[in-house]
Amino acid sequence: MKTIDDLLRDGVAGERVFVRADLNVPLAGDTITDDGRIRAAVPTISRLAEAGARVIVASHLGRPKGEPDPRFSLAPVATRLGELLGREVAFATDTVGDSAKATVAALGDGEVTLLENLRFQAGETAKDDAERAAFADELAALADLYVGDGFGAVHRKHASVFDLPARLPHAAGGLIATEVGVLRRLTDEVERPYAVVLGGAKVSDKLGVIDHLLECADRILIGGGMAYTFLKAQGHEVGNSLLQEDQLEAVRGYLKRAEERGVEFVLPVDVLAVAEFPDLAAKAPADPRTVGVDAIPADLMGLDIGPKTQELYAAKLADAATVFWNGPMGVFEHPDFDGGTRAVAQALLDSSAFTVVGGGDSAAAVRLLGFDETAFGHISTGGGASLEYLEGKTLPGLAALED
């Protein structure tokens, strides 16, 4: 796979370089509530601009329906990107239309523009190959070179991720090169003991990665909403907690396989439970009860792992040499239920292991809870992409960058 280092060695001054970044940040109106993905994109964009390239940055944001939607405009992102780069970022109000063509044509050496949301064009996400190809042709007409650096999108077979690299000389950006290097350390070059912490809402979202990790992990710790399906599979009553009954047989199968393979499967021993899901915006005190997993009342729902589980999980991570964490332990957005996620994050920081936070809500939680991001071994920008890589799947955006 050719990298940005190869491009810079060959020289990019005066070249129009299309950078497919992942700037899919959360917005509250026009306010960016977490700029982590923008900051992660800056090094590659900055290196290209400093080398004299005319940089065309493109990304999606949210899930618009293939047509312009002001709620998902990248205009606020252009402003923040310019602040982080320390240089003006011109903003094209469309993707391949008159504004994009004029903005790109006006670029000088070392200047940067951001195109409007790629998903405002139906061709970006089309399942029809011809429709995607037609949009990729229009994008290719804007540029001379392609740099794939949006790791959070490489598991999508989208025009700007999969089809466009075939139309231009291409290379992987610094972010993608780093992400792939880290994931290889979790698959091909693992230092042991290898502990995995999985959380989040639904066990169905993690079935593939659990299946794969049973072949390579030494220890798997489960938290979040998905834990209650595991607890139910073990025979516990879980009250009104999140439960996927259609996954119980699959979960029982995983627990049996783990026992047969000698993989330690660690589940909560206590949880924080309440009668009603709290208002996350108001953050009013929810007054949760701590209950053992063998005594969850029928009228309560568990929303975080309890203090004994926090201690247990910290102990299970203390001697690990490699830790991968994907998914919060509870409803971390509310201060009454952030303790489990906070405890796991702290356990990673206290460990001497190579620690990887697998993007998505885990990365958001690290930032929201005030942890120093640089203290972790790596914080991924792509939760879904990381999981699919660990499942052993071929990621379209990575395959497209191979020579």
Side-chain angles (χ1 to χ4, degrees):
M1 183 185 291
K2 195 172 185 179
T3 69
I4 186 176
D5 292 333
D6 299 309
L7 286 188
L8 294 173
R9 199 161 35 243
D10 294 341
V12 295
E15 299 280 7
R16 299 172 301 164
V17 182
F18 188 105
V19 178
R20 197 344 177 152
D22 178 13
L23 308 177
N24 183 28
V25 294
L27 293 173
D30 292 334
T31 302
I32 297 166
T33 58
D34 182 354
D35 67 356
R37 283 179 170 169
I38 305 175
R39 287 186 283 112
V42 163
T44 289
I45 297 168
S46 184
R47 290 183 71 192
L48 290 166
E50 289 171 2
R54 303 178 181 193
V55 187
I56 306 158
V57 185
S59 176
H60 70 285
L61 192 154
R63 296 180 181 272
K65 305 298 185 183
E67 58 185 27
D69 184 333
R71 295 176 301 165
F72 301 110
S73 174
L74 282 166
V77 174
T79 301
R80 182 58 179 149
L81 179 60
E83 292 170 352
L84 292 169
L85 287 170
R87 65 179 74 219
E88 183 180 355
V89 172
F91 181 62
T93 57
D94 56 30
T95 306
V96 291
D98 291 341
S99 178
K101 292 172 183 174
T103 305
V104 170
L107 284 176
D109 293 0
E111 294 183 343
V112 180
T113 186
L114 175 64
L115 305 180
E116 184 55 284
N117 194 334
L118 289 163
R119 290 186 182 174
F120 285 180
Q121 297 286 328
E124 168 68 1
T125 59
K127 294 191 180 344
D128 181 74
D129 291 347
E131 188 177 354
R132 278 201 330 274
F135 181 52
D137 287 340
E138 292 186 272
L139 292 173
L142 297 173
D144 305 304
L145 302 169
Y146 176 92
V147 172
D149 209 36
F151 180 74
V154 294
H155 58 314
R156 307 296 187 191
K157 193 175 182 180
H158 291 169
S160 66
V161 176
F162 178 75
D163 302 89
L164 183 55
R167 288 156 170 77
L168 295 170
H170 51 266
L175 177 61
I176 277 187
T178 297
E179 294 273 13
V180 172
V182 166
L183 288 169
R184 284 178 178 155
R185 291 185 65 176
L186 298 178
T187 52
D188 304 330
E189 308 158 11
V190 183
E191 293 183 49
R192 298 184 181 280
Y194 178 20
V196 176
V197 186
L198 296 176
K202 295 182 178 180
V203 68
S204 56
D205 294 338
K206 303 289 197 302
L207 289 178
V209 75
I210 293 171
D211 186 70
H212 184 79
L213 288 169
L214 283 172
E215 303 299 318
C216 58
D218 299 303
R219 191 176 298 152
I220 299 176
L221 287 62
I222 301 292
M226 62 185 286
Y228 300 98
T229 301
F230 279 90
L231 291 170
K232 181 71 171 180
Q234 283 192 327
H236 297 293
E237 293 302 323
V238 297
N240 288 329
S241 306
L242 184 63
L243 175 65
Q244 289 187 280
E245 294 198 40
D246 61 332
Q247 302 298 332
L248 286 172
E249 283 306 309
V251 165
R252 291 187 184 104
Y254 287 140
L255 291 171
K256 183 179 179 181
R257 273 180 59 198
E259 184 177 3
E260 291 170 349
R261 296 190 58 82
V263 177
E264 187 178 4
F265 229 102
V266 189
L267 297 177
V269 295
D270 62 347
V271 300
L272 298 185
V274 290
E276 295 183 1
F277 196 88
D279 184 333
L280 298 184
K283 292 183 170 54
D287 299 321
R289 288 171 53 186
T290 300
V291 297
V293 296
D294 57 352
I296 300 175
D299 60 342
L300 298 187
M301 64 181 75
L303 295 183
D304 194 14
I305 58 173
K308 290 182 180 178
T309 305
Q310 293 173 26
E311 293 179 9
L312 172 65
Y313 284 15
K316 293 295 183 181
L317 296 172
D319 66 343
T322 303
V323 180
F324 173 70
W325 170 32
N326 180 276
M329 297 293 98
V331 184
F332 70 92
E333 300 92 341
H334 192 286
D336 283 348
F337 305 103
D338 67 8
T341 302
R342 189 183 294 277
V344 167
Q346 188 61 53
L348 266 64
L349 294 184
D350 293 341
S351 168
S352 60
F354 174 59
T355 56
V356 179
V357 180
D361 284 342
S362 309
V366 163
R367 289 188 280 268
L368 179 68
L369 299 178
F371 288 95
D372 178 4
E373 295 177 63
T374 64
F376 297 88
H378 179 70
I379 296 182
S380 178
T381 57
S386 295
L387 290 178
E388 291 198 16
Y389 188 100
L390 293 179
E391 287 178 39
K393 291 183 177 180
T394 296
L395 305 187
L398 295 185
L401 295 175
E402 298 287 352
D403 293 326

